[in-house]
Amino acid sequence: MPRSRTRRLVFAALMIACTLVLEQLRIFHMPQGGSVTLGGMVPLLLLAYREGPAVGMLGGGIYGLLNLLQDPFVVHPVQVLFDYPLPYMCMGLAAVLPRHRILSTALAFAARFLCHVFSGVVFFASYAPAGMDPLRYSLVFNATYLLPDFLICCLILKLLPLKRIFASLRS
């Protein structure tokens, strides 16, 4: 039993560390935060797929706090929750439908998107161009980086031999 816990802890730590590194490989960085990366969320998704939603959410929350330390953009304490730990905790939802990984991944990204949109409407409305509805601005702003990031992650997940990877981790 302790060996199993140790393996889970090491795997979670490794996936969080990989996410920290991959999130720095940016294709495009938005002015007020958010980036299109080369599959930065894939390790968190793998953590959720392998260990389930609870561990995936915990790993995502830890990553979110580390991301806050690494690349902060803070305007309000409540905004910190909706832009750092909560959206990355949502990545754990990728394990909700284990037989439908792409659909679950879409659910995880949609929940993350909603967190960022809420933050945008409440805390970043002043960035919207004059006369533009803050909700519309936040929807468009967040979709411009999260939709491509989602598609890149799905492509990588389709190309990875997940069954072989998880089988080799069991031994």
Side-chain angles (χ1 to χ4, degrees):
M1 189 70 87
R3 182 176 173 192
S4 174
R5 287 183 188 158
T6 302
R7 281 182 177 233
R8 291 176 79 182
L9 181 62
V10 169
F11 182 73
L14 183 61
M15 292 301 99
I16 293 166
C18 287
T19 301
L20 279 166
V21 171
L22 289 174
E23 280 290 308
Q24 297 307 305
L25 302 176
R26 297 174 176 154
I27 298 169
F28 182 75
H29 186 69
M30 299 295 285
Q32 287 88 35
S35 301
V36 177
T37 66
L38 292 173
M41 290 292 109
V42 169
L44 285 183
L45 295 168
L46 294 176
L47 175 62
Y49 295 160
R50 182 168 185 251
E51 301 296 339
V55 174
M57 292 175 86
L58 178 62
I62 291 168
Y63 166 74
L65 294 174
L66 292 171
N67 186 27
L68 172 63
L69 294 173
Q70 191 176 34
D71 194 17
F73 194 94
V74 177
V75 297
H76 190 276
V78 176
Q79 170 261 330
V80 169
L81 289 174
F82 282 93
D83 277 337
Y84 293 97
L86 289 180
Y88 299 106
M89 286 176 74
C90 291
M91 299 313 287
L93 295 174
V96 170
L97 302 169
R99 295 186 189 270
H100 305 283
R101 287 200 171 128
I102 298 300
L103 183 60
S104 283
T105 299
L107 174 67
F109 269 90
R112 178 180 168 199
F113 176 72
L114 290 176
C115 288
H116 289 304
V117 166
F118 176 79
S119 175
V121 169
V122 175
F123 301 105
F124 295 98
S126 63
Y127 289 95
M132 182 181 244
D133 176 45
L135 175 60
R136 184 170 159 227
Y137 173 74
S138 186
L139 287 167
V140 170
F141 178 87
N142 288 293
T144 57
Y145 72 92
L146 281 173
L147 184 59
D149 215 37
F150 164 69
L151 294 173
I152 291 168
C153 285
C154 286
L155 177 64
I156 291 169
L157 291 167
K158 279 291 193 187
L159 296 174
L160 286 176
L162 294 179
K163 287 181 184 178
R164 277 193 6 217
I165 291 170
F166 292 142
S168 70
L169 292 171
R170 283 189 205 107
S171 56

